[in-house]
Amino acid sequence: MPSLNGSTSVNGSSKFLDYQNAVEVLKQYETRDGLSIEDLIDTKQRGGLTYNDFLVLPGYIGFAASEVALDSPITKRITLKTPFVSSPMDTVTEHEMAIHMALQGGLGVIHHNCSADAQADMVRKVKRYENGFIVDPVVISKETTVEEARALKEKWGFGGFPVTESGKIGSKLLGIVTNRDLQFEDDGSQPVDKVMVTDLVTAQLGVTLPEANKILAKSRKGKLPIVDKDFNLESMISRSDLTKNLHFPLASKLPDSKQLICAAAIGTRPEDKIRLQKLVDAGLDIVILDSSQGNSMYQIDMVKWIKQEYPSLDVIGGNVVTREQAANLIAAGVDGLRIGMGSGSACITQEVMAVGRPQAAAVYSVSNFAAKFGVPCIADGGVQNVGHIVKGLALGASTVMMGGLLAGTTESPGTSFVSREGKLVKAYRGMGSIDAMQDKKAGAGGKNSQASNAGTARYFSEGDSVLVAQGVSGAVAHRGSISKFVPYLAAGLKHSMQDCGQRSLKELHESAANGTLRFEIRTASAQLEGNVNMESYEKKLYA
């Protein structure tokens, strides 16, 4: 026995239990340490909580963070491999954001503060970015000029167009015009049959996708046309898609077409039915009905109409913050719900309208109710960091929607500029801001553009003579590319779930429901303690 240099007393006692029985002694306690999710979100006792008001208690780490699965449903029928969604705001999500969010395993929702044709074009760009068999390729005729082919490349963002006799699919294949054929051609008026490649490698109709990919890989060509016995073009595959499969294994894609999943927002006005038809024709997979208050006769009627007219199209309703709101939309047939009212970084609805709900309380109440009917929920708003993402998911959300957190990335459509402090920032505004509600792009510059504006529609202000702002305009710090920022968020989420002892989001939800996952309230002093307490420091989020 080694010599001691002090008292053996601990907490006033010198008689101890056998340390080997510590786990058994733990069972004598009536409850686990901390609070259950029901005790945490008890609004009668604690009021409405936000994400900053609580913490998730740690569990047991018995696995590597890389083993954590982040698969989670966005609708009843569609699952994402990364539970991140970009908001349908005009300074957050257009086709660039939608493409890169999908490549990272998430989803981008294209805003509708633009003309219907412009929004449909963005949907097409997302759907054409990656394919398996391209069944509707951009086809040109031999009379198409070099200049016209260049214009098509500029429009669609890719080159390599098959040339057929009629300029349509199903016609005899004559050749392919590639970027290299057009790059150094001085005479833009000459027809493409003078510069096109005619030495083609093709595959016969009926070939499987794996077989076609092998042929393409061996051919060292950029495109592989699929032809019938008469050499009529039926479809094609692209080498760039093979490369994308290697670089983006988590990409959100449809199992059959291998195209990226695309979502877009619309309002609930009669003219939005015409807009939706154009979006569906462009290949839309998920439509989000965009409203600050989703429990309305307008949205309920729109949900029922969409489910009847487009049964294969998934519909996400919202926004809602109470069970009562959610029940009406679930009964109408929504495939998913969007939760949040007034909690966004650029939103002032709670301040101006005195209506809304703290986000943590809203997410738990709605998602717990919606789960009874198999309806996934999006936690929309109030997310400022990885920790908030974790908390939103722990409270029952299937995915998390972000606006301000993604507005500073390279892929957002906001304008970059240097602030007065000399920092690189990007413009960001709420859809309820006066700037957004007065934007005339949705009305194509018409006299009554206010009636077509996505901001006024979202806040039921189309016919108002005086616009009441429910959002603000400003700027957010530049965060670099989505290709680095989203993997950082995903890595942070995985490590947090490892700390909690949860291997998957499904397990996280089950542990919260059965009381295994525990929580703790944070006082104001606890929040101060949990932040940095230094005279000066540099906060670098990832490397």
Side-chain angles (χ1 to χ4, degrees), residues 207-227:
V207 67
T208 65
L209 185 58
E211 291 171 344
N213 285 335
K214 288 181 181 179
I215 296 172
L216 180 60
K218 291 180 179 179
S219 72
R220 299 186 179 181
K221 299 283 188 180
K223 310 284 184 183
L224 179 69
I226 311 299
V227 298

PDB file of all heavy atoms in Angstrom, residues 207-227:
ATOM      1  N   VAL A 207     -28.730  -1.533 -73.691  1.00  0.00           N
ATOM      2  CA  VAL A 207     -27.561  -1.677 -72.837  1.00  0.00           C
ATOM      3  C   VAL A 207     -27.882  -1.167 -71.435  1.00  0.00           C
ATOM      4  O   VAL A 207     -28.642  -0.200 -71.265  1.00  0.00           O
ATOM      5  CB  VAL A 207     -26.363  -0.904 -73.439  1.00  0.00           C
ATOM      6  CG1 VAL A 207     -26.619   0.599 -73.406  1.00  0.00           C
ATOM      7  CG2 VAL A 207     -25.062  -1.247 -72.715  1.00  0.00           C
ATOM      8  N   THR A 208     -27.347  -1.816 -70.407  1.00  0.00           N
ATOM      9  CA  THR A 208     -27.577  -1.358 -69.034  1.00  0.00           C
ATOM     10  C   THR A 208     -26.633  -0.207 -68.718  1.00  0.00           C
ATOM     11  O   THR A 208     -25.609  -0.016 -69.398  1.00  0.00           O
ATOM     12  CB  THR A 208     -27.349  -2.487 -68.026  1.00  0.00           C
ATOM     13  OG1 THR A 208     -25.967  -2.868 -68.050  1.00  0.00           O
ATOM     14  CG2 THR A 208     -28.220  -3.694 -68.346  1.00  0.00           C
ATOM     15  N   LEU A 209     -26.942   0.551 -67.673  1.00  0.00           N
ATOM     16  CA  LEU A 209     -26.102   1.689 -67.311  1.00  0.00           C
ATOM     17  C   LEU A 209     -24.690   1.261 -66.910  1.00  0.00           C
ATOM     18  O   LEU A 209     -23.718   1.874 -67.380  1.00  0.00           O
ATOM     19  CB  LEU A 209     -26.763   2.494 -66.187  1.00  0.00           C
ATOM     20  CG  LEU A 209     -26.046   3.797 -65.774  1.00  0.00           C
ATOM     21  CD1 LEU A 209     -25.907   4.733 -66.961  1.00  0.00           C
ATOM     22  CD2 LEU A 209     -26.810   4.487 -64.642  1.00  0.00           C
ATOM     23  N   PRO A 210     -24.506   0.208 -66.103  1.00  0.00           N
ATOM     24  CA  PRO A 210     -23.140  -0.227 -65.791  1.00  0.00           C
ATOM     25  C   PRO A 210     -22.359  -0.642 -67.040  1.00  0.00           C
ATOM     26  O   PRO A 210     -21.170  -0.347 -67.155  1.00  0.00           O
ATOM     27  CB  PRO A 210     -23.344  -1.416 -64.840  1.00  0.00           C
ATOM     28  CG  PRO A 210     -24.671  -1.164 -64.209  1.00  0.00           C
ATOM     29  CD  PRO A 210     -25.497  -0.541 -65.292  1.00  0.00           C
ATOM     30  N   GLU A 211     -23.036  -1.329 -67.963  1.00  0.00           N
ATOM     31  CA  GLU A 211     -22.369  -1.732 -69.204  1.00  0.00           C
ATOM     32  C   GLU A 211     -21.974  -0.512 -70.033  1.00  0.00           C
ATOM     33  O   GLU A 211     -20.863  -0.445 -70.582  1.00  0.00           O
ATOM     34  CB  GLU A 211     -23.289  -2.639 -70.026  1.00  0.00           C
ATOM     35  CG  GLU A 211     -23.521  -4.020 -69.410  1.00  0.00           C
ATOM     36  CD  GLU A 211     -24.606  -4.804 -70.120  1.00  0.00           C
ATOM     37  OE1 GLU A 211     -25.397  -4.189 -70.883  1.00  0.00           O
ATOM     38  OE2 GLU A 211     -24.675  -6.020 -69.913  1.00  0.00           O
ATOM     39  N   ALA A 212     -22.885   0.455 -70.123  1.00  0.00           N
ATOM     40  CA  ALA A 212     -22.605   1.667 -70.893  1.00  0.00           C
ATOM     41  C   ALA A 212     -21.456   2.451 -70.273  1.00  0.00           C
ATOM     42  O   ALA A 212     -20.605   3.000 -70.984  1.00  0.00           O
ATOM     43  CB  ALA A 212     -23.864   2.539 -70.965  1.00  0.00           C
ATOM     44  N   ASN A 213     -21.408   2.495 -68.951  1.00  0.00           N
ATOM     45  CA  ASN A 213     -20.313   3.206 -68.280  1.00  0.00           C
ATOM     46  C   ASN A 213     -18.960   2.554 -68.579  1.00  0.00           C
ATOM     47  O   ASN A 213     -17.947   3.246 -68.740  1.00  0.00           O
ATOM     48  CB  ASN A 213     -20.555   3.225 -66.768  1.00  0.00           C
ATOM     49  CG  ASN A 213     -21.626   4.218 -66.365  1.00  0.00           C
ATOM     50  OD1 ASN A 213     -21.885   5.196 -67.072  1.00  0.00           O
ATOM     51  ND2 ASN A 213     -22.260   3.979 -65.230  1.00  0.00           N
ATOM     52  N   LYS A 214     -18.931   1.215 -68.658  1.00  0.00           N
ATOM     53  CA  LYS A 214     -17.683   0.520 -68.977  1.00  0.00           C
ATOM     54  C   LYS A 214     -17.227   0.839 -70.398  1.00  0.00           C
ATOM     55  O   LYS A 214     -16.047   1.059 -70.653  1.00  0.00           O
ATOM     56  CB  LYS A 214     -17.874  -0.984 -68.805  1.00  0.00           C
ATOM     57  CG  LYS A 214     -17.973  -1.441 -67.362  1.00  0.00           C
ATOM     58  CD  LYS A 214     -18.137  -2.949 -67.275  1.00  0.00           C
ATOM     59  CE  LYS A 214     -18.256  -3.412 -65.824  1.00  0.00           C
ATOM     60  NZ  LYS A 214     -18.439  -4.880 -65.715  1.00  0.00           N
ATOM     61  N   ILE A 215     -18.193   0.867 -71.336  1.00  0.00           N
ATOM     62  CA  ILE A 215     -17.865   1.198 -72.731  1.00  0.00           C
ATOM     63  C   ILE A 215     -17.311   2.612 -72.816  1.00  0.00           C
ATOM     64  O   ILE A 215     -16.314   2.876 -73.488  1.00  0.00           O
ATOM     65  CB  ILE A 215     -19.116   1.045 -73.630  1.00  0.00           C
ATOM     66  CG1 ILE A 215     -19.569  -0.415 -73.659  1.00  0.00           C
ATOM     67  CG2 ILE A 215     -18.827   1.543 -75.044  1.00  0.00           C
ATOM     68  CD1 ILE A 215     -20.913  -0.613 -74.359  1.00  0.00           C
ATOM     69  N   LEU A 216     -17.959   3.542 -72.102  1.00  0.00           N
ATOM     70  CA  LEU A 216     -17.529   4.934 -72.121  1.00  0.00           C
ATOM     71  C   LEU A 216     -16.132   5.083 -71.521  1.00  0.00           C
ATOM     72  O   LEU A 216     -15.286   5.820 -72.040  1.00  0.00           O
ATOM     73  CB  LEU A 216     -18.531   5.800 -71.357  1.00  0.00           C
ATOM     74  CG  LEU A 216     -18.239   7.307 -71.283  1.00  0.00           C
ATOM     75  CD1 LEU A 216     -18.190   7.918 -72.678  1.00  0.00           C
ATOM     76  CD2 LEU A 216     -19.275   8.018 -70.433  1.00  0.00           C
ATOM     77  N   ALA A 217     -15.872   4.382 -70.416  1.00  0.00           N
ATOM     78  CA  ALA A 217     -14.577   4.470 -69.754  1.00  0.00           C
ATOM     79  C   ALA A 217     -13.454   3.991 -70.675  1.00  0.00           C
ATOM     80  O   ALA A 217     -12.369   4.583 -70.721  1.00  0.00           O
ATOM     81  CB  ALA A 217     -14.586   3.661 -68.461  1.00  0.00           C
ATOM     82  N   LYS A 218     -13.690   2.910 -71.419  1.00  0.00           N
ATOM     83  CA  LYS A 218     -12.686   2.368 -72.313  1.00  0.00           C
ATOM     84  C   LYS A 218     -12.504   3.207 -73.580  1.00  0.00           C
ATOM     85  O   LYS A 218     -11.428   3.230 -74.172  1.00  0.00           O
ATOM     86  CB  LYS A 218     -13.059   0.938 -72.713  1.00  0.00           C
ATOM     87  CG  LYS A 218     -12.951  -0.070 -71.568  1.00  0.00           C
ATOM     88  CD  LYS A 218     -13.337  -1.464 -72.040  1.00  0.00           C
ATOM     89  CE  LYS A 218     -13.213  -2.481 -70.907  1.00  0.00           C
ATOM     90  NZ  LYS A 218     -13.610  -3.838 -71.346  1.00  0.00           N
ATOM     91  N   SER A 219     -13.563   3.915 -73.990  1.00  0.00           N
ATOM     92  CA  SER A 219     -13.522   4.658 -75.251  1.00  0.00           C
ATOM     93  C   SER A 219     -12.692   5.932 -75.187  1.00  0.00           C
ATOM     94  O   SER A 219     -12.229   6.436 -76.200  1.00  0.00           O
ATOM     95  CB  SER A 219     -14.939   5.028 -75.684  1.00  0.00           C
ATOM     96  OG  SER A 219     -15.459   6.050 -74.845  1.00  0.00           O
ATOM     97  N   ARG A 220     -12.528   6.475 -73.954  1.00  0.00           N
ATOM     98  CA  ARG A 220     -11.843   7.745 -73.743  1.00  0.00           C
ATOM     99  C   ARG A 220     -12.551   8.906 -74.444  1.00  0.00           C
ATOM    100  O   ARG A 220     -11.944   9.947 -74.704  1.00  0.00           O
ATOM    101  CB  ARG A 220     -10.381   7.663 -74.192  1.00  0.00           C
ATOM    102  CG  ARG A 220      -9.581   6.632 -73.433  1.00  0.00           C
ATOM    103  CD  ARG A 220      -8.118   6.687 -73.796  1.00  0.00           C
ATOM    104  NE  ARG A 220      -7.372   5.696 -73.032  1.00  0.00           N
ATOM    105  CZ  ARG A 220      -6.048   5.518 -73.116  1.00  0.00           C
ATOM    106  NH1 ARG A 220      -5.337   6.286 -73.934  1.00  0.00           N
ATOM    107  NH2 ARG A 220      -5.453   4.598 -72.403  1.00  0.00           N
ATOM    108  N   LYS A 221     -13.809   8.720 -74.769  1.00  0.00           N
ATOM    109  CA  LYS A 221     -14.624   9.779 -75.358  1.00  0.00           C
ATOM    110  C   LYS A 221     -15.354  10.526 -74.249  1.00  0.00           C
ATOM    111  O   LYS A 221     -15.485  10.059 -73.116  1.00  0.00           O
ATOM    112  CB  LYS A 221     -15.643   9.188 -76.340  1.00  0.00           C
ATOM    113  CG  LYS A 221     -15.031   8.433 -77.511  1.00  0.00           C
ATOM    114  CD  LYS A 221     -14.489   9.387 -78.553  1.00  0.00           C
ATOM    115  CE  LYS A 221     -14.049   8.641 -79.797  1.00  0.00           C
ATOM    116  NZ  LYS A 221     -13.520   9.544 -80.845  1.00  0.00           N
ATOM    117  N   GLY A 222     -15.899  11.710 -74.589  1.00  0.00           N
ATOM    118  CA  GLY A 222     -16.645  12.485 -73.616  1.00  0.00           C
ATOM    119  C   GLY A 222     -18.101  12.082 -73.513  1.00  0.00           C
ATOM    120  O   GLY A 222     -18.719  12.219 -72.460  1.00  0.00           O
ATOM    121  N   LYS A 223     -18.663  11.562 -74.615  1.00  0.00           N
ATOM    122  CA  LYS A 223     -20.073  11.176 -74.654  1.00  0.00           C
ATOM    123  C   LYS A 223     -20.211   9.786 -75.277  1.00  0.00           C
ATOM    124  O   LYS A 223     -19.420   9.404 -76.145  1.00  0.00           O
ATOM    125  CB  LYS A 223     -20.899  12.160 -75.498  1.00  0.00           C
ATOM    126  CG  LYS A 223     -20.706  13.627 -75.153  1.00  0.00           C
ATOM    127  CD  LYS A 223     -21.411  14.039 -73.887  1.00  0.00           C
ATOM    128  CE  LYS A 223     -21.260  15.539 -73.644  1.00  0.00           C
ATOM    129  NZ  LYS A 223     -21.861  15.974 -72.394  1.00  0.00           N
ATOM    130  N   LEU A 224     -21.228   9.058 -74.842  1.00  0.00           N
ATOM    131  CA  LEU A 224     -21.552   7.770 -75.448  1.00  0.00           C
ATOM    132  C   LEU A 224     -23.009   7.792 -75.894  1.00  0.00           C
ATOM    133  O   LEU A 224     -23.918   7.652 -75.078  1.00  0.00           O
ATOM    134  CB  LEU A 224     -21.333   6.622 -74.467  1.00  0.00           C
ATOM    135  CG  LEU A 224     -21.681   5.224 -75.009  1.00  0.00           C
ATOM    136  CD1 LEU A 224     -20.670   4.809 -76.090  1.00  0.00           C
ATOM    137  CD2 LEU A 224     -21.717   4.188 -73.893  1.00  0.00           C
ATOM    138  N   PRO A 225     -23.265   7.969 -77.202  1.00  0.00           N
ATOM    139  CA  PRO A 225     -24.643   7.945 -77.689  1.00  0.00           C
ATOM    140  C   PRO A 225     -25.203   6.516 -77.661  1.00  0.00           C
ATOM    141  O   PRO A 225     -24.494   5.551 -77.957  1.00  0.00           O
ATOM    142  CB  PRO A 225     -24.513   8.442 -79.136  1.00  0.00           C
ATOM    143  CG  PRO A 225     -23.153   9.066 -79.232  1.00  0.00           C
ATOM    144  CD  PRO A 225     -22.310   8.325 -78.254  1.00  0.00           C
ATOM    145  N   ILE A 226     -26.473   6.409 -77.308  1.00  0.00           N
ATOM    146  CA  ILE A 226     -27.180   5.129 -77.342  1.00  0.00           C
ATOM    147  C   ILE A 226     -28.099   5.156 -78.562  1.00  0.00           C
ATOM    148  O   ILE A 226     -28.968   6.033 -78.667  1.00  0.00           O
ATOM    149  CB  ILE A 226     -28.003   4.895 -76.058  1.00  0.00           C
ATOM    150  CG1 ILE A 226     -27.139   5.175 -74.809  1.00  0.00           C
ATOM    151  CG2 ILE A 226     -28.573   3.493 -76.040  1.00  0.00           C
ATOM    152  CD1 ILE A 226     -25.919   4.317 -74.663  1.00  0.00           C
ATOM    153  N   VAL A 227     -27.909   4.217 -79.487  1.00  0.00           N
ATOM    154  CA  VAL A 227     -28.654   4.232 -80.747  1.00  0.00           C
ATOM    155  C   VAL A 227     -29.417   2.936 -80.944  1.00  0.00           C
ATOM    156  O   VAL A 227     -29.084   1.896 -80.353  1.00  0.00           O
ATOM    157  CB  VAL A 227     -27.699   4.461 -81.940  1.00  0.00           C
ATOM    158  CG1 VAL A 227     -27.010   5.817 -81.836  1.00  0.00           C
ATOM    159  CG2 VAL A 227     -26.639   3.346 -82.013  1.00  0.00           C
TER     160      VAL A 227
END
